[in-house]
Amino acid sequence: MTKNTPLLSSRPPSESMALFLLLISAMLFSLMGIFLKRASNDTSSSSSTSSNNKIPSTELVFIRAMFQGSLTLIGLFFLEPINEAQGKQTQQQQIIIMTTLDQQKQKQTNKNVKLIRYPYGGTPHAQKIVLLRGFLGGLGFVCYFYSIKTLPLGDAVTLFSLYPIITLFLARIFLKELFTVQKIMAAVASVIGAILITKPTFIFGNDGVDEEQQAVGQHFHIGHLTALIGSFFGASVITMIRIAGKSGVHTFQLLISWATFGVLSSVIFGFLWSDTYGNGMDGDWNLHIFSFNENRETCIDILFMVVLGSMAHLLFNFAGKYAPASLGSIARSSDILFAYIFQVVIFHQVPTIGTFIGSFLILISIASIALLKVRQNQDQRNQNEKET
């Protein structure tokens, strides 16, 4: 099974293929964002239509994490570790076991070892990486969902789109990836393109943004702060996933770590931000949304959100292990371009000169990293030919 399935294969993809998979992941994330925004704006049919009765962002994170975590657990029960970081026993460990077990029992023990035995990594070093990735990712998703709910979509997306620039610095510090003019220009072009497409209110004003989209409540400025913090978490996660890839950690171990901290952080912040027990930043959870007869559209939106989000997250964590963090963050940020395309095609949004320019800038940033990889691959081939 693991040998024939690309995502589960022990043979890593090339960096170019990893960047391509990150583009597919970005497209799926942008589709998820459409249903996330729809779900976060839905209200239970049994409640009033005020914004305070909308589905809390922490509840959406909880649903998302529980769905992905359940699927990941199933995978952990069937998949086997292939290296020490994933939990495979070393030769020395096998010798120690052989002194206490007869040969037949030893073969059976090796055969039955699955990833579920080491869900967060097989070594202390791997466990630190996996748990830190889950911690940062869980908090980052709470920030992302909360910002999407409380801010105009353009504001939230623009602030989150800063992470390619942040990733350049983190990748330089922790991964020793080189700064290049091409990388810097691609990251800056991606951010400027995002600004022109999303038209954040803190730059372009509130013209054309209705009261529902503005979400100007008492937590409006907190939404901007959580978006900035989430952008830093996003850059940190991309960096940690790349470190995990270099350490040999399994993709499903990264996924279960995120699901664990996603559930924990959503429950904790759901309590702290609730109307009943906390400061009212996010509202009380409403279990009535799961009544399909009463809230059919909401249930469908949530279903698409968790399915598309889980698919995108699988590709993101898998491909992110093999792509350079600085280039991977730029490829991942293309979700803004995909979201705009979907708005034009599906929702018939009328393009403007600014959005055309923004789309062109993002395309340039994507093309630049593609050309960079082509040049690097060519240099590597030339070097191999000289050595032979």
Side-chain angles (χ1 to χ4, degrees):
M1 175 181 174
T2 58
K3 293 182 179 180
N4 298 324
T5 306
L7 285 178
L8 305 178
S9 174
S10 59
R11 181 180 180 181
S14 65
E15 290 185 354
S16 299
M17 175 57 69
L19 289 171
F20 175 74
L21 292 176
L22 284 173
L23 288 175
I24 302 298
S25 171
M27 181 185 68
L28 293 174
F29 270 122
S30 65
L31 280 173
M32 182 203 74
I34 294 175
F35 292 100
L36 167 60
K37 190 65 177 177
R38 283 170 54 91
S40 64
N41 286 334
D42 287 337
T43 59
S44 171
S45 61
S46 62
S47 61
S48 65
T49 57
S50 70
S51 61
N52 292 332
N53 292 315
K54 294 177 181 178
I55 302 174
S57 58
T58 50
E59 187 173 7
L60 292 173
V61 174
F62 178 82
I63 297 170
R64 167 88 164 73
M66 286 295 294
F67 180 86
Q68 178 174 305
S70 299
L71 295 180
T72 305
L73 276 175
I74 295 174
L76 291 175
F77 273 104
F78 290 97
L79 297 172
E80 300 177 1
I82 61 174
N83 57 43
E84 187 178 358
Q86 297 178 11
K88 185 177 181 179
Q89 296 173 346
T90 63
Q91 186 175 6
Q92 182 178 3
Q93 291 171 328
Q94 292 176 356
I95 292 175
I96 294 175
I97 295 177
M98 284 290 289
T99 61
T100 58
L101 296 174
D102 58 47
Q103 189 172 4
Q104 186 64 30
K105 289 184 178 180
Q106 169 64 14
K107 290 181 180 180
Q108 187 66 27
T109 300
N110 289 338
K111 182 179 179 181
N112 292 334
V113 171
K114 304 295 183 183
L115 280 177
I116 191 62
R117 186 174 178 180
Y118 306 98
Y120 303 110
T123 64
H125 176 69
Q127 290 166 359
K128 291 178 183 179
I129 295 173
V130 171
L131 292 175
L132 182 57
R133 182 266 177 269
F135 174 76
L136 295 172
L139 291 180
F141 252 75
V142 170
C143 292
Y144 176 72
F145 276 47
Y146 181 78
S147 301
I148 289 290
K149 177 187 175 182
T150 57
L151 295 178
L153 189 59
D155 289 25
V157 171
T158 298
L159 292 174
F160 268 96
S161 69
L162 296 175
Y163 68 83
I165 295 179
I166 301 175
T167 305
L168 286 176
F169 292 94
L170 294 181
R172 177 58 184 153
I173 295 172
F174 296 104
L175 293 167
K176 309 304 179 185
E177 294 184 7
L178 297 177
F179 272 128
T180 65
V181 175
Q182 194 167 358
K183 288 182 180 179
I184 296 174
M185 291 181 64
V188 172
S190 176
V191 173
I192 295 176
I195 293 174
L196 292 176
I197 290 177
T198 58
K199 293 183 174 61
T201 61
F202 56 82
I203 294 179
F204 292 91
N206 294 331
D207 293 342
V209 181
D210 57 31
E211 294 181 359
E212 185 72 15
Q213 289 175 312
Q214 289 183 40
V216 280
Q218 58 177 327
H219 307 301
F220 183 69
H221 295 296
I222 297 178
H224 285 96
L225 178 61
T226 57
L228 286 172
I229 295 174
S231 181
F232 175 78
F233 284 149
S236 301
V237 164
I238 292 175
T239 305
M240 291 304 304
I241 291 176
R242 179 58 170 164
I243 294 175
K246 289 180 174 291
S247 302
V249 171
H250 198 283
T251 303
F252 275 48
Q253 291 171 326
L254 296 174
L255 292 175
I256 197 62
S257 177
W258 175 86
T260 301
F261 283 97
V263 169
L264 290 175
S265 59
S266 62
V267 171
I268 294 172
F269 285 99
F271 179 82
L272 296 176
W273 293 350
S274 67
D275 292 331
T276 304
Y277 304 102
N279 55 15
M281 285 177 57
D282 201 31
D284 292 331
W285 288 17
N286 184 3
L287 298 180
H288 291 292
I289 63 173
F290 295 106
S291 175
F292 186 78
N293 292 331
E294 295 180 6
N295 305 286
R296 181 170 302 180
E297 291 187 4
T298 301
C299 290
I300 293 175
D301 289 337
I302 291 176
L303 177 61
F304 275 101
M305 179 196 73
V306 297
V307 171
L308 291 170
S310 296
M311 293 169 59
H313 217 191
L314 173 62
L315 287 175
F316 173 59
N317 282 271
F318 173 76
K321 295 193 303 177
Y322 305 107
S326 53
L327 298 181
S329 65
I330 298 172
R332 171 66 181 83
S333 67
S334 63
D335 61 342
I336 302 168
L337 175 61
F338 289 118
Y340 172 67
I341 293 174
F342 292 141
Q343 288 177 359
V344 173
V345 175
I346 300 176
F347 301 108
H348 306 292
Q349 178 175 320
V350 179
T352 64
I353 295 178
T355 53
F356 269 125
I357 297 175
S359 301
F360 181 69
L361 288 174
I362 294 180
L363 285 173
I364 288 178
S365 68
I366 296 173
S368 66
I369 64 173
L371 291 174
L372 179 60
K373 286 307 303 175
V374 169
R375 188 169 67 245
Q376 290 177 347
N377 292 339
Q378 184 62 45
D379 292 342
Q380 183 64 42
R381 284 194 294 268
N382 294 337
Q383 182 66 26
N384 293 336
E385 290 177 358
K386 290 180 180 179
E387 292 177 355
T388 57

